[in-house]
Amino acid sequence: EVQLVESGGGLVQPGGSLRLSCAASGFTFDRSYMTWVRQAPGKGFEWVSRISDDGTSTAYPASVKGRFAVSRDNYKNTLYLQLNSLKTEDTAMYYCATIPFFGGPLTHRGQGTQVTVSS
């Protein structure tokens, strides 16, 4: 059974940082492309990062590029998302998910971790 468990969310002031983690099990993690997506209240899902199976390729939308950084540890079966220079508009539930290729649909998604940016 595929399991993705996110952690690391919380309340942070504007300009602050957080590091999210996603513990993966039940599938071959080091052969899986991964993505982080978020959903703000009343809005749809927005992808915020993608990473290839070996971690050598990453992608970000303009809204977070230069502020967020995705990485992975294939020995620990863990995906990370470093969030820097946070803005109030980054407030959302953050999810990790598997994708079949860059830009592909989500195939499995975790339960999410809440990030709230507020002074």
Side-chain angles (χ1 to χ4, degrees), residues 13-89:
Q13 292 186 340
S17 298
L18 283 174
R19 190 194 195 199
L20 308 183
S21 299
C22 170
S25 62
F27 64 102
T28 309
F29 182 73
D30 62 2
R31 294 186 181 180
S32 297
Y33 282 52
M34 300 293 296
T35 187
W36 286 96
V37 298
R38 67 185 180 187
Q39 187 175 32
K43 296 188 177 180
F45 285 100
E46 175 191 19
W47 74 280
V48 295
S49 70
R50 296 166 181 156
I51 188 167
S52 60
D53 52 356
D54 61 2
T56 59
S57 295
T58 58
Y60 306 91
S63 58
V64 307
K65 195 169 187 178
R67 300 189 298 119
F68 290 8
V70 62
S71 62
R72 63 192 298 161
D73 185 333
N74 285 347
Y75 293 103
K76 295 183 178 179
N77 282 6
T78 303
L79 180 71
Y80 302 100
L81 185 66
Q82 180 68 41
L83 292 71
N84 298 323
S85 303
L86 282 162
K87 306 175 181 179
T88 55
E89 52 263 43

Side-chain angles (χ1 to χ4, degrees), residues 88-107:
T88 55
E89 52 263 43
D90 294 319
T91 294
M93 186 71 80
Y94 284 72
Y95 303 88
C96 65
T98 57
I99 50 176
F101 49 85
F102 263 32
L106 307 188
T107 48

